[in-house]
Amino acid sequence: MTERPALSKGEMEVARALWDLKQATVREVFETFPESRGIDFTTVQTYLRRLEQKGYIKARLEGRTRVYSPRIKPRTVIRETVDDLVDRLFAGEAFPLMQHLIEDRHVSRKDLDALKSLLDELTEERDGGNQS
């Protein structure tokens, strides 16, 4: 696994916008933010440059315009970020994080049912389908 610097909250917001767009100019990324967010064009431009320097995105020139696209998949960033969080806050133990999310984040009944189905499926796979 390549060690990349962690993303700030603002960098993560811009990265998410770019993931949704697949590829975009600074202007296109900027325009995804609602006016109420209060982020300005130069801030988006700065975040895109930082993301490129950190290795999360790449840029190519089309004429004189830089077009940005993801270099790293969102799933990879999520995995790395959650792994770091689990290591730092929970000494590498995933269960306390899951327990916290379920108990304190008001997980809906629908999501709990989906989670139960997933757990049943994973249990079945790990048991190799051999239940007595």
Side-chain angles (χ1 to χ4, degrees):
M1 174 175 83
T2 304
E3 281 292 320
R4 281 178 291 280
L7 298 181
S8 70
K9 184 178 178 180
E11 290 167 344
M12 187 67 80
E13 282 183 288
V14 170
R16 277 196 305 262
L18 185 59
W19 288 327
D20 288 343
L21 294 167
K22 310 289 188 248
Q23 65 174 18
T25 64
V26 176
R27 169 93 29 223
E28 291 167 333
V29 173
F30 170 72
E31 289 174 352
T32 66
F33 290 95
E35 204 170 300
S36 62
R37 168 61 179 79
I39 192 168
D40 62 26
F41 182 88
T42 56
T43 301
V44 171
Q45 186 174 45
T46 298
Y47 284 147
L48 286 167
R49 286 186 186 145
R50 285 183 191 167
L51 288 165
E52 184 180 12
Q53 290 169 347
K54 290 181 175 185
Y56 287 91
I57 67 173
K58 56 189 171 191
R60 70 177 191 287
L61 283 176
E62 285 187 6
R64 296 187 323 182
T65 304
R66 292 177 74 77
V67 178
Y68 295 92
S69 59
R71 176 172 277 170
I72 306 297
K73 294 178 182 178
R75 186 178 185 120
T76 301
V77 176
I78 291 166
R79 185 186 67 243
E80 290 172 357
T81 303
V82 170
D83 286 351
D84 180 58
L85 176 76
V86 168
D87 288 344
R88 287 186 300 118
L89 291 180
F90 300 102
E93 296 294 324
F95 184 77
L97 173 61
M98 292 183 294
Q99 185 175 8
H100 165 76
L101 293 172
I102 291 167
E103 293 176 352
D104 294 355
R105 298 294 288 207
H106 308 291
V107 176
S108 71
R109 178 64 194 201
K110 179 182 171 190
D111 288 344
L112 286 172
D113 289 343
L115 180 59
K116 184 177 182 327
S117 293
L118 176 62
L119 290 172
D120 290 345
E121 194 177 298
L122 291 172
T123 300
E124 179 83 15
E125 285 177 15
R126 297 213 173 133
D127 288 345
N130 297 329
Q131 292 189 353
S132 309

